[in-house]
Amino acid sequence: MRLIQWSLAILLLAGLTGCQSSLMVKSGGSAPMPEPGKALVVFMRPSSLGGAIQSSVYDTSDKEDKFIGIVSSKTKIAYQAEPGEHLFMVIAENADFMVAHLDAGKTYYALVSPRMGVWKARFSLLPIHNQAGAKYSVQSSDFREWMDKTAWVNVTPAAEAWYREHAADIREKKLDYMRRWNTADAEQRAELTLPAADGI
């Protein structure tokens, strides 16, 4: 029953939004900066793969999930985070996770990366490193292209209402996939970790 409810929630969100989520609003002006005492984390989705399927991102922990927003194809969202260690999560057909170690005053970047799933696109969170030789690097020409082709979006009251309505189903999906995350080996965890030194 929960699987059916969750599938309907995703289909409803996709139907409401198409390629861009109507639950988010584009923001004008200059790029955001870290607030005093905070770190800024930017989640970007430059790929158009699975464009009709929305991906929602969260700052998660054992006790609570904080809704960050919905990251559609060709959009990006900025999150003001407390310094320290965080576990971020992306939800669609699946749930996936990324660890981040954040320093105040720095900006960090992560890709919301689609891949083909069983019924629809699945998503991963991939750290973008501040190293020239990294697969995903803020020093690369790819990164500059990703920044140029994605638009900043902000959460609306409608998005917050969507999250409150589906929070229990999101939590259940998270706990299911968390069991797999907890069995990941050290190498897998390292690939999905954003070190503090990668902030700029």
Side-chain angles (χ1 to χ4, degrees):
M1 180 60 73
R2 284 290 189 184
L3 177 59
I4 293 171
Q5 290 175 337
W6 176 251
S7 297
L8 289 174
I10 291 296
L11 288 172
L12 174 63
L13 187 56
L16 284 172
T17 60
C19 292
Q20 298 291 320
S21 175
S22 61
L23 302 180
M24 303 291 286
V25 62
K26 287 187 177 180
S27 57
S30 58
M33 300 290 291
E35 295 174 356
K38 298 288 186 72
L40 189 75
V41 186
V42 176
F43 299 91
M44 61 170 64
R45 185 179 161 190
S47 175
S48 58
L49 178 66
I53 305 300
Q54 306 304 321
S55 51
S56 51
V57 291
Y58 306 83
D59 188 352
T60 187
S61 68
D62 290 338
K63 295 184 179 179
E64 65 177 346
D65 305 318
K66 184 171 182 180
F67 175 59
I68 296 173
I70 297 165
V71 187
S72 304
S73 175
K74 306 297 175 73
T75 69
K76 55 181 174 274
I77 189 169
Y79 173 61
Q80 301 285 349
E82 295 293 336
E85 182 174 327
H86 291 253
L87 181 64
F88 293 111
M89 174 175 70
V90 62
I91 290 275
E93 180 181 286
N94 66 315
D96 213 347
F97 305 92
M98 181 189 78
V99 175
H101 302 275
L102 309 176
D103 285 343
K106 292 184 177 181
T107 299
Y108 297 83
Y109 296 89
L111 281 174
V112 179
S113 180
R115 63 185 191 276
M116 293 312 297
V118 178
W119 293 343
K120 56 184 74 72
R122 294 184 168 215
F123 292 87
S124 297
L125 291 176
L126 304 176
I128 304 178
H129 300 290
N130 190 12
Q131 303 165 19
K135 182 176 182 179
Y136 308 108
S137 171
V138 297
Q139 300 180 33
S140 69
S141 58
D142 284 341
F143 176 76
R144 291 187 289 275
E145 182 180 340
W146 298 335
M147 289 296 288
D148 289 341
K149 73 193 301 188
T150 52
W152 293 104
V153 292
N154 292 328
V155 172
T156 65
E160 294 283 5
W162 174 86
Y163 168 64
R164 289 192 298 271
E165 182 179 354
H166 300 291
D169 294 328
I170 290 165
R171 182 78 175 176
E172 184 172 328
K173 184 174 287 286
K174 167 197 166 174
L175 293 176
D176 181 27
Y177 279 84
M178 183 67 74
R179 287 190 284 270
R180 306 179 196 190
W181 169 257
N182 289 336
T183 62
D185 60 34
E187 184 177 352
Q188 291 173 308
R189 292 289 187 96
E191 290 177 356
L192 297 173
T193 296
L194 188 58
D198 283 332
I200 57 176

